[in-house]
Amino acid sequence: MSRTSSNGVTSRRPRPMEPMGRARYIVMMGLVLIGLGLLAGRIVDLHVFERTFLKGQGDARTLRVDEIPAHRGMITDRHGSPLAISTPVVTLWANPQDVPEDGIQRLRLAQALGQDLDALNKRLARYSEREFMYLERRMTPGAAQKVLDLRVPGVHARKEYKRYYPAGEVAAQLIGVTNIDDKGQEGLELAYQPYLAGVPGKRRVLKDRRGRLVRDLEVLKEAEPGGDLTLSIDQSLQYMAYRELKAAVEKNDADGGTLVMLDADTGEVLAMANQPSYNPNNRASLDPAGLRNQAIVDTFEPGSVIKPLAMSALLETGKFPPDTVVDTSPGWMVIDGYTIRDVSNNGKLTLTGILRKSSNIGMSKLTLQLDKPVVPRRYRALGFGSAPGTGFPGEATGSVPSPRVWSSSQWAALSYGYGLSVSALQLASAYTAIANHGKRLPPSLLRLDQAPQGKPVIEPAIADKVLGMMDEVVAPGTGARRGMVPGYRVAGKTGTVRKVGSDGYQQSTYRALFVGIAPVSDPRIITVVMIDHPRGDEYYGGAIAAPVFSRVAGSALRMLDVPPDRSSQDDDDE
């Protein structure tokens, strides 16, 4: 309905809202109010009732617990000279999702890392769905800082430690190595891993959503540094022994060799060298053969160097007086179908003569007069067939046979060093009984505060008797004469052993050995030298291993300030 005003303008009167429209309006306004009410209720719920939960969720995305690396303990020689130390390094890592795709930035990053740009791009693409990847492990702090100075987004640093070995290849197999995570993998690094590693600490830090450190908040647990390990070896003696062994292996074109020097008073290992070796500071061209500590983990038939130990068992039976003479003619004999030979026909020999001439016939004839296996029993008492107990990973036990019924050939073979296996360390340890009036000392790779008591295994008078016999073995005109040391009396024994191949004993492959104790008047060192497969006209222990002993023992005795027990006049006369 409309009407006309006095000025002629027509106006319309508003229509009243229809019932349907009013209902729709009320419903819409009600829904809006309900929604607002629910929203307000949720806000109150979040800020009042679920505040603790939300705070925890927020902290979980910003607060982190990081590990504080523990400083690995140092390994030193007996005088404190470092053999293994940990130096601080920096590891660079990246969040691939944050590294920009800008070609210039990536090129600069690759150049600073010393990496190929294409290779870096491929790695970033491969880890694109992850938030972590290593860019470069264990960089020097200076080199890492040059990369960080580029300020490339997504690139971060982490402090770590890297193991360094000042002695290099000289003591590599004994000390061992750690892996890229600074965990022991070989040698004493592996054997004492828990002790050396220490216990990492923990700290709470604040990080942004991209994992970048914002602030250190608190230290939850301090890192406990690893303990220091003091070895028994003398670094000066180790260098000297390694140098002489390496020279002998190269001179004789040998496959390798090993040398062990023990302190005769304590059983401590003063030097332990092996060939081949490797540089633990640069393992790019590592020869796996150089990883083995042959002196402890490898075994071999000892041959004639075992004869003085067998002789001690024979003398202790009381069946062989000092004036016993054995006829070794014609230089060979057959036992159980096996032919045993000497190098030559030595005729009649005294007990000392049997050792001087290294007569297999003489040892066999003496042994076969007994009705008990006294020789293998003596070997076991001296530690053969049992682990030395040094704790070194993979230390060999060797073997001494114990058949129910002994054949004559087995008894005989054991008396001249065949049919059993020993390690160089076991052999050196066994001879501590000869040097210490019958008491065997357990070998130790760690420095000892005091000498061990030792285990009596040989009657004192018999041990002293054998030591005197070995003194006469190393003399002018004998096969062991090259083991003599100017100014000092030496008790020693040579050995030359056929190596065993897939078809049995090989005809032209040998090990040359020498065992020596010096000085005889008051034994200070015991040294075992083994040269594996020397090539050339001479391959006997007296020609190959004895000269190495002479040079090493002579230098060691002077370095240890051991007074001479032999006059220079005696040396001149000889």
Side-chain angles (χ1 to χ4, degrees):
M1 181 177 182
S2 63
R3 64 179 178 175
T4 303
S5 65
S6 60
N7 57 9
V9 176
T10 302
S11 62
R12 292 183 180 275
R13 182 178 297 174
R15 295 180 180 180
M17 183 179 295
E18 297 180 3
M20 183 63 69
R22 182 178 293 113
R24 185 180 298 111
Y25 175 77
I26 294 173
V27 170
M28 292 300 297
M29 290 300 295
L31 291 174
V32 170
L33 292 175
I34 292 173
L36 290 174
L38 292 174
L39 180 61
R42 182 59 177 162
I43 291 174
V44 173
D45 180 56
L46 292 175
H47 282 77
V48 177
F49 299 105
E50 296 189 26
R51 182 176 181 179
T52 303
F53 170 78
L54 289 177
K55 185 177 184 300
Q57 290 295 307
D59 288 346
R61 288 165 174 77
T62 57
L63 293 178
R64 297 287 189 273
V65 175
D66 276 1
E67 182 179 278
I68 304 174
H71 188 275
R72 191 174 181 85
M74 183 167 57
I75 300 178
T76 70
D77 82 336
R78 64 186 302 108
H79 302 300
S81 297
L83 297 173
I85 56 178
S86 289
T87 57
V89 292
V90 177
T91 286
L92 296 180
W93 64 276
N95 184 340
Q97 299 177 14
D98 294 337
V99 177
E101 296 185 2
D102 179 68
I104 299 299
Q105 283 189 308
R106 289 200 175 188
L107 176 61
R108 291 176 177 174
L109 177 61
Q111 290 176 340
L113 291 170
Q115 299 178 6
D116 179 73
L117 177 60
D118 291 338
L120 177 61
N121 284 332
K122 289 179 180 178
R123 290 182 61 218
L124 288 168
R126 188 165 65 250
Y127 289 91
S128 61
E129 301 299 323
R130 304 181 185 180
E131 296 183 353
F132 179 91
M133 63 169 276
Y134 285 116
L135 288 175
E136 191 68 35
R137 298 292 304 270
R138 303 199 298 183
M139 301 178 68
T140 62
Q145 191 58 48
K146 291 180 180 179
V147 178
L148 296 174
D149 288 343
L150 297 176
R151 298 186 181 279
V152 177
V155 175
H156 311 282
R158 184 170 72 185
K159 293 182 179 180
E160 292 182 332
Y161 292 99
K162 180 181 179 180
R163 206 65 162 165
Y164 175 67
Y165 302 94
E169 65 183 63
V170 172
Q173 297 93 345
L174 175 62
I175 298 171
V177 291
T178 59
N179 62 11
I180 197 168
D181 295 316
D182 213 26
K183 294 182 179 179
Q185 296 295 292
E186 300 284 346
L188 294 176
E189 291 275 32
L190 174 60
Y192 290 91
Q193 165 62 21
Y195 175 78
L196 290 167
V199 181
K202 294 181 180 180
R203 62 174 182 170
R204 181 174 283 118
V205 298
L206 184 66
K207 293 186 177 181
D208 62 16
R209 66 182 182 85
R210 294 182 175 180
R212 294 174 296 192
L213 179 66
V214 176
R215 186 173 59 195
D216 271 320
L217 297 179
E218 62 177 325
V219 175
L220 300 177
K221 179 183 178 183
E222 293 284 357
E224 299 178 16
D228 293 337
L229 197 65
T230 303
L231 304 189
S232 59
I233 69 170
D234 184 312
Q235 186 168 239
S236 297
L237 297 179
Q238 181 72 21
Y239 271 105
M240 179 269 299
Y242 180 80
R243 182 187 67 239
E244 295 295 345
L245 179 68
K246 184 176 182 179
V249 169
E250 292 176 350
K251 177 182 178 181
N252 294 285
D253 191 23
D255 287 346
T258 188
L259 184 151
V260 177
M261 181 188 297
L262 298 187
D263 187 313
D265 294 327
T266 65
E268 295 170 296
V269 177
L270 298 177
M272 179 177 284
N274 294 278
Q275 275 289 301
S277 188
Y278 68 100
N279 183 358
N281 299 310
N282 182 9
R283 304 169 217 172
S285 57
L286 174 64
D287 179 5
L291 284 171
R292 293 197 331 276
N293 189 347
Q294 301 176 54
I296 298 180
V297 304
D298 285 4
T299 61
F300 50 86
E301 289 181 308
S304 295
V305 293
I306 208 79
K307 288 175 180 174
L309 302 178
M311 183 64 76
S312 72
L314 298 175
L315 291 174
E316 215 165 86
T317 63
K319 290 191 175 184
F320 308 106
D323 58 352
T324 298
V325 174
V326 179
D327 188 359
T328 64
S329 298
W332 59 270
M333 63 185 296
V334 178
I335 305 176
D336 297 337
Y338 296 96
T339 301
I340 300 173
R341 300 180 183 277
D342 284 343
V343 175
S344 61
N345 183 2
N346 296 305
K348 295 181 178 181
L349 296 174
T350 63
L351 299 182
T352 300
I354 290 174
L355 296 184
R356 284 173 63 105
K357 294 296 184 179
S358 197
S359 173
N360 296 337
I361 305 299
M363 293 300 299
S364 298
K365 287 190 172 183
L366 290 173
T367 301
L368 294 178
Q369 294 183 46
L370 304 175
D371 57 0
K372 295 181 180 180
V374 295
V375 171
R377 288 176 185 172
R378 173 55 46 84
Y379 291 164
R380 293 191 190 93
L382 291 168
F384 300 147
S386 302
T390 61
F392 193 89
E395 62 179 5
T397 61
S399 65
V400 179
S402 55
R404 293 182 179 180
V405 180
W406 286 88
S407 68
S408 297
S409 58
Q410 286 176 312
W411 282 32
L414 285 175
S415 71
Y416 56 82
Y418 282 85
L420 75 159
S421 63
V422 303
S423 69
L425 179 62
Q426 286 179 313
L427 193 58
S429 177
Y431 270 94
T432 60
I434 301 297
N436 281 281
H437 312 292
K439 291 184 177 181
R440 174 182 170 265
L441 302 175
S444 176
L445 299 174
L446 305 182
R447 189 186 66 187
L448 302 177
D449 294 329
Q450 60 183 11
Q453 292 293 324
K455 180 180 180 181
V457 292
I458 304 175
E459 292 181 6
I462 298 299
D464 295 343
K465 172 64 176 177
V466 173
L467 181 66
M469 296 168 72
M470 293 175 67
D471 184 14
E472 295 187 44
V473 168
V474 186
T478 68
R481 64 188 181 279
R482 297 180 187 178
M484 296 174 63
V485 177
Y488 298 92
R489 293 167 57 198
V490 171
K493 184 69 188 75
T494 62
T496 308
V497 189
R498 291 185 187 275
K499 294 185 65 174
V500 179
S502 57
D503 299 325
Y505 288 105
Q506 301 177 10
Q507 294 300 315
S508 58
T509 308
Y510 301 89
R511 288 188 176 93
L513 296 107
F514 188 89
V515 176
I517 301 172
V520 172
S521 58
D522 185 13
R524 183 68 176 83
I525 59 172
I526 299 167
T527 305
V528 171
V529 180
M530 188 277 287
I531 306 298
D532 186 13
H533 191 195
R535 294 170 176 84
D537 295 334
E538 291 187 308
Y539 53 83
Y540 293 105
I544 304 298
V548 180
F549 167 85
S550 177
R551 292 189 293 269
V552 170
S555 297
L557 292 171
R558 290 188 292 272
M559 294 168 69
L560 295 171
D561 292 326
V562 178
D565 64 346
R566 186 187 190 93
S567 68
S568 58
Q569 180 65 40
D570 292 335
D571 293 327
D572 293 338
D573 292 341
E574 294 170 355

